Amino acid sequence: MCRFTAVSSLGYTALPPPVPEYTPTSLPLSGCSEMISVRGAQCNSSGNEQGVSVLLLSAPTGSGVSLSVSPDLQQFFRDQSVKLTCEDQAGSDGSMVKKKVGSQVESCGAVFGRLSSSSCLLNEYKQFSGSYWCETRTGDRSDPVNITVSDEGLILHIPALPVTTGSQVSLSCKNRNQDNAAAYFFFNGRLLGSRKHKHIIHEVQQSAEGFYWCSTDEFGSSPQGLLRVR
């Protein structure tokens, strides 16, 4: 049976925002029974799917190409910009930033973004949500990175790239003025203490990997973000 996560101290039922598509592979969903076995999937009160995509955790590809994100964040407002850069340890030419939304795969410079050497500049005032990765001419791919552009009032500052065990990570909620908002933070559906301006993980362990989001009375809830730990 699918259930909402109730948080009595807030006086309302805390529901995670919809999970964005993450990897170049999407799972067809046929019912709540299938979804509850997939990490991050959600169901509504009638037992039906909430959303049509599932976020899949992927292991490192082992290829020589990687994708860097500047700034290293997953979530942005529409008036912000992002630079994605392909870094090929093998030194081969022709690495390209690619993007998938739904079933459509696009290359930077063709339909989205602007090419600048080995970097892809995602334009301001554009909707550039999607799953991004670098791909060489020989077909080697980097791990994918999910980026979400929000038109709502709140986003979660969470790293786009994996963090290392033992490091410190600071999560914060930003409103449209880029101010830190006092918020309730959630991890995999669980409330993380009282309202605060930041949630700090002092020594990251593998158990910290999962889905985070934040919520305020004034600005609503942020999209979900996946913290990956390596």
Side-chain angles (χ1 to χ4, degrees), residues 63-82:
S63 68
V65 63
S66 60
L67 175 66
S68 67
V69 184
S70 180
D72 182 12
L73 297 170
Q74 294 180 34
Q75 299 178 16
F76 300 88
F77 290 118
R78 191 182 287 267
D79 59 349
Q80 296 179 279
S81 59
V82 187

Side-chain angles (χ1 to χ4, degrees), residues 32-89:
C32 184
S33 60
E34 287 82 359
M35 291 187 68
I36 59 176
S37 65
V38 181
R39 185 177 184 183
Q42 302 156 49
C43 305
N44 61 25
S45 57
S46 62
N48 298 319
E49 299 97 338
Q50 181 177 326
V52 295
S53 58
V54 175
L55 202 160
L56 302 179
L57 302 181
S58 61
T61 61
S63 68
V65 63
S66 60
L67 175 66
S68 67
V69 184
S70 180
D72 182 12
L73 297 170
Q74 294 180 34
Q75 299 178 16
F76 300 88
F77 290 118
R78 191 182 287 267
D79 59 349
Q80 296 179 279
S81 59
V82 187
K83 182 170 77 171
L84 308 179
T85 304
C86 291
E87 299 175 350
D88 193 345
Q89 298 175 2

Side-chain angles (χ1 to χ4, degrees), residues 3 62 76 88 101 109 116 163 182 226 228:
R3 299 178 183 276
F76 300 88
D88 193 345
V101 176
S116 176
V163 299
L226 173 67
R228 294 179 291 165

